Amino acid sequence: MPDWTVPAWAAPVLTAAGVVLLAAFVFWGARISPNRPFSWAMYSGSSKGFLWSDDGSVTVLPVHRLRIAPGGHFLTVPELRALLADGDFELPLRGLIIGSDGGWEVRYEPAEHRLRLTRLPAGAELRLLADALRPAP
């Protein structure tokens, strides 16, 4: 049977190499998107939907009202289009989709089966979400 023992110097060297690679990865991510706040989600293809009914109140819709799986925890523009394509969704929606590929403002009018998506300026997504969810005076 072969001897698989690791030399004493290997663990610190591999740890240092891992830290250097992690630092390089974070630096690269900051350089390609300097206006966006750092988030691990920006590297994972993650996209979060923050949608509410447009009935005069800001009430975040639970996943069972949106008919998406709670285990997914993400919503992309193509998935939202597919969700609304059958015309069976009766609630007017507004909100934001914030993801690794940028942000979108969402407006859906069920009477016209019309989905309007507007690309958000880079770096403005979180401010717009905070403003949208802030209670009216």
Side-chain angles (χ1 to χ4, degrees):
M1 178 161 213
D3 182 20
W4 294 102
T5 58
V6 178
W9 58 267
V13 169
L14 291 175
T15 301
V19 169
V20 168
L21 284 173
L22 177 62
F25 181 68
V26 170
F27 178 74
W28 170 77
R31 291 204 23 97
I32 63 168
S33 296
N35 295 327
R36 296 187 58 155
F38 178 79
S39 168
W40 287 110
M42 74 192 314
Y43 301 109
S44 67
S46 177
S47 185
K48 305 287 184 190
F50 301 92
L51 304 175
W52 50 89
S53 178
D54 198 8
D55 62 0
S57 67
V58 176
T59 304
V60 177
L61 296 173
V63 293
H64 73 275
R65 295 284 305 273
L66 288 174
R67 293 181 273 157
I68 59 176
H73 298 292
F74 67 94
L75 180 67
T76 63
V77 170
E79 288 170 334
L80 180 61
R81 284 188 174 132
L83 174 72
L84 300 173
D86 64 6
D88 189 27
F89 197 80
E90 73 280 353
L91 292 173
L93 296 176
R94 41 182 201 111
L96 303 169
I97 293 178
I98 301 173
S100 58
D101 65 344
W104 297 89
E105 180 181 18
V106 175
R107 292 201 179 272
Y108 174 68
E109 300 298 330
E112 297 129 20
H113 302 292
R114 181 175 176 186
L115 175 63
R116 288 184 305 177
L117 297 165
T118 307
R119 178 66 91 164
L120 298 175
E125 299 95 336
L126 297 179
R127 180 185 50 78
L128 290 170
L129 178 62
D131 291 345
L133 295 177
R134 186 172 291 122

